[in-house]
Each structure stands twice: as structure tokens, then as C-alpha cells.
Amino acid sequence: MRLRALLGGIEITMANRLLVSFSAFAVLAIGVSATAFQAGSQRTPRVSYEAPPELQHTDLPQWPYTPTPPKGTAVVAPDDGEAHHLPGSTKAFTTKEIDGASAVDWFPDSHPKAPAPVIDGKPGVYRACGTCHLINGYGKSDTENLNGMPVAYMQQQLEDMKGDLRHASVVNMGVITMIPVAKALPADDAKEALEYFHSIGPAKWVRVVETDTVPKTMPGPHRLTAVDPSGAKEPIGNRIIELPENFDRTMLRDPTSGFVAYVPVGSIKKGEVLVKTGAGGRTMACVACHGADLHGGGDTIPPLAGRSPSATGRQLYDFKTGARHGKNSSMMQPVVAKLTDEDIVNISAYLASLAQ
């Protein structure tokens, strides 16, 4: 595979049998300043899938809504057909297969047999669920963790997306790529996929680290946050930085390589108070509905513990702005109404620190 960067005609050739090294992928966003990343440059959206204009925001924190690299920053040369490998797997896949409409399954013996909607999708109709959520549903920071989610809850989210009742607060972010899938997904296919993801057990997928400083970051491919190749550090401020533990393996759709979430010092304890007590009326205690262990409250209330903090942050903001206003969303309105940006960071950090 070759990455041709539009930087003075530089061309980088990669023959590594794993994948392009992280430093090569970093070229995708060289020249994008940290300020531009935090401000959030997005491509022209597909308006039909966006929230109504009055529910779109440009003033929200960037950390939950990782943008794609600016258009024209770099182009990727056609796949050269070379197979990639992962430690412990006997499988081999080319870049074309990894980035295709079907999902790759590196470790087929580690999960129940994946049904067709999860691994194959339906050509010309929708991509396989496992391409974005991974074959085991563990997901990435730009998607959501589906493993162990209640079937009825996931079904309702699909219905909300189909009915234009669940959007992202920020243009071209969040569920923008999922809405057309939900609209195209036949009911029988959806049932198969959701029952499969529900059957996948808990995972330790996000490692949470409290810190004052973090690596300088930038938008990476596949809406992932990437470490800036300069190696510079910067204050974490009031945000969460969620990064792949191993960028190369995440790009390969490795379902065994998780994420690290850097959170502000003290945020986990502050989040615990908010989640367990409501902090004197600033919010409502999450444990009241989502269970004392935050592992869910029945068929329609999802588990919160051990999930991606980026995904949690997006959903709290989407409830607060009204971009997410489907069935049962009204129950979340009083929960999020008074939350500050710092509260959302603290809640997301605490929930991610828990075991699924």
C-alpha cells in the first residue's frame, strides 16, 4: 500500500505486512493545527441526514466529535493487494478487504458465528455492521459499543434514526453515517444483527488514565483521533482524549486492540458524585434508571459502564441540544439540562472507568 502525501510531492511506500505505520498515517493531517482541530473543520454534509438547522451547533466542545482530516490533505494510492496479518491470527486480509463493505474476521473462534448482516452486509444496500462496530461489537471511539446492549433498546435507536428523530448536534458527525444504514436495513436483518451483538459478553475495552498533560493530537483517518507526529505535549484542559492503544491494529479492524482515554485529574471522582447522587440537584442520579452497577435497567435502558467516553459525551450533548429526540429521550432531558461541559467530561470519565 502506498500513501502519497500532497506535501511537496513526497511519496511514502509501505511494504510492512501489518499496516502502514502510525507515523505514515500521521501524514494525513500534517499541517492541521491543534487550533483547527479543536475548532472542528468538517466537510460539506449530506444535509438530508443532518439535524434540523435549529438543532445544529458550532459551539460545542470538539473532543466527542472527531472530524475527518481536511479534504485535499492527502490521497491514498490504490491498494497494492498485499496481505496484512495480526499476531495470533491465521487470517490475512488486504487493505481493500479491510476497508471494504464487508467486515473482516481475524479471530472467528472468539465469538459466536456472525450472521450475514454483521459480516457481509448487503451489497448496494448497506455495509456490514462489523465494518464500523467491529465483528464483536466492541466498536471504536467514533462509533458505539454494541456488545451486550439490550435488543429492544438498539431496535428503538434504529427506529429513531429511520424516523429522523436521532441526529448529531454537530454537522457531519456522530450518527451521520448510521442514519442511511438504519433507513436501508431490513427488519429481519436488523433482528439478526442486534441479537448477535446482544449475545457478546463484556470486555475491558477502554483504559482510563487521569493526567494533566496529553499528546498533541489531530484528526486521523476513519474519524479516529491520532497523535501528532511532532511528539509535542499539551495541557488536557477540560476534555477527554481517546486514542487507540495501537493505531495500526485499530486501522486493521483488530477486535482485540482497545483504546486509552486520557481524562483530567480528579474527573473520575467528580463524575462518581454526579452519577451516584445527582450532586445536589445538578442532575439526576444515573443509577436510578441504569442500575446500581450501571449495567442497564431492563430491555429499554442501556448499560453505561465501561463504554467509550467519546460516545457517552456525544450522546449527552445530543440529548441536551435536542438533536436526539426519539422515543424515551424525554426522560433524559431533565438529566442533561443543567450539565456543564465539565460535568459531561466528569460523567463520561467515570462511566468509562468502570467494568462493563
Side-chain angles (χ1 to χ4, degrees):
M1 177 182 174
R2 294 183 307 164
L3 177 69
R4 180 174 292 119
L6 301 183
L7 301 167
I10 298 173
E11 181 177 291
I12 302 173
T13 302
M14 291 151 286
N16 188 298
R17 298 182 70 82
L18 245 180
L19 182 66
V20 181
S21 68
F22 167 73
S23 59
F25 266 115
V27 177
L28 281 165
I30 287 177
V32 183
S33 68
T35 301
F37 177 32
Q38 291 304 315
S41 302
Q42 289 97 32
R43 296 181 182 180
T44 302
R46 290 164 292 183
V47 177
S48 60
Y49 300 145
E50 300 290 5
E54 64 272 15
L55 299 179
Q56 297 174 13
H57 289 258
T58 58
D59 56 348
L60 298 181
Q62 185 64 66
W63 65 266
Y65 299 97
T66 307
T68 54
K71 190 173 183 179
T73 303
V75 294
V76 177
D79 178 30
D80 61 9
E82 184 172 1
H84 304 296
H85 302 266
L86 280 180
S89 174
T90 60
K91 302 296 183 179
F93 298 102
T94 65
T95 300
K96 183 177 180 180
E97 291 172 316
I98 292 165
D99 291 340
S102 297
V104 294
D105 193 354
W106 293 101
F107 304 100
D109 296 331
S110 67
H111 56 80
K113 180 176 173 57
V118 172
I119 195 164
D120 296 321
K122 188 163 288 186
V125 181
Y126 66 88
R127 288 167 60 89
C129 307
T131 58
C132 295
H133 295 281
L134 303 184
I135 199 70
N136 53 14
Y138 291 175
K140 304 194 273 49
S141 57
D142 62 308
T143 60
E144 292 185 27
N145 315 111
L146 300 184
N147 62 302
M149 282 285 180
V151 172
Y153 169 77
M154 292 189 284
Q155 181 63 55
Q156 185 58 57
Q157 301 318 301
L158 291 176
E159 292 300 320
D160 288 349
M161 292 176 203
K162 287 172 66 175
D164 294 319
L165 298 175
R166 182 173 175 180
H167 296 279
S169 305
V170 177
V171 170
N172 201 23
M173 293 290 155
V175 298
I176 186 67
T177 56
M178 186 60 209
I179 293 173
V181 175
K183 291 178 180 289
L185 192 63
D188 289 347
D189 290 9
K191 184 173 186 293
E192 266 195 293
L194 301 185
E195 289 179 347
Y196 167 78
F197 286 128
H198 173 71
S199 74
I200 305 292
K204 183 56 183 174
W205 193 237
V206 182
R207 178 171 62 93
V208 179
V209 178
E210 288 194 343
T211 182
D212 289 320
T213 60
V214 291
K216 184 179 178 182
T217 56
M218 62 189 187
H222 295 279
R223 295 187 186 273
L224 294 170
T225 300
V227 175
D228 190 279
S230 69
K233 300 279 189 178
E234 61 186 10
I236 190 169
N238 186 43
R239 55 186 178 140
I240 294 175
I241 303 298
E242 188 173 358
L243 298 166
E245 292 274 19
N246 185 305
F247 200 91
D248 293 351
R249 291 174 66 161
T250 296
M251 290 297 296
L252 286 172
R253 307 296 203 283
D254 183 352
T256 67
S257 185
F259 288 76
V260 56
Y262 296 106
V263 305
V265 173
S267 61
I268 294 176
K269 185 62 179 176
K270 293 175 184 176
E272 182 179 12
V273 173
L274 286 160
V275 167
K276 289 185 175 180
T277 72
R282 192 149 77 248
T283 183
M284 297 174 64
C286 306
V287 295
C289 296
H290 293 271
D293 56 5
L294 297 162
H295 288 170
D299 292 340
T300 59
I301 299 178
L304 303 179
R307 308 280 161 168
S308 163
S310 300
T312 298
R314 284 193 297 272
Q315 292 180 69
L316 291 175
Y317 278 113
D318 292 348
F319 280 126
K320 188 173 182 178
T321 65
R324 181 172 173 177
H325 55 281
K327 186 177 181 181
N328 301 325
S329 294
S330 60
M331 293 189 296
M332 283 297 298
Q333 296 306 314
V335 176
V336 300
K338 299 179 183 178
L339 291 180
T340 65
D341 291 339
E342 182 179 0
D343 291 336
I344 290 177
V345 165
N346 294 339
I347 290 170
S348 301
Y350 172 66
L351 293 175
S353 73
L354 302 174
Q356 280 192 4

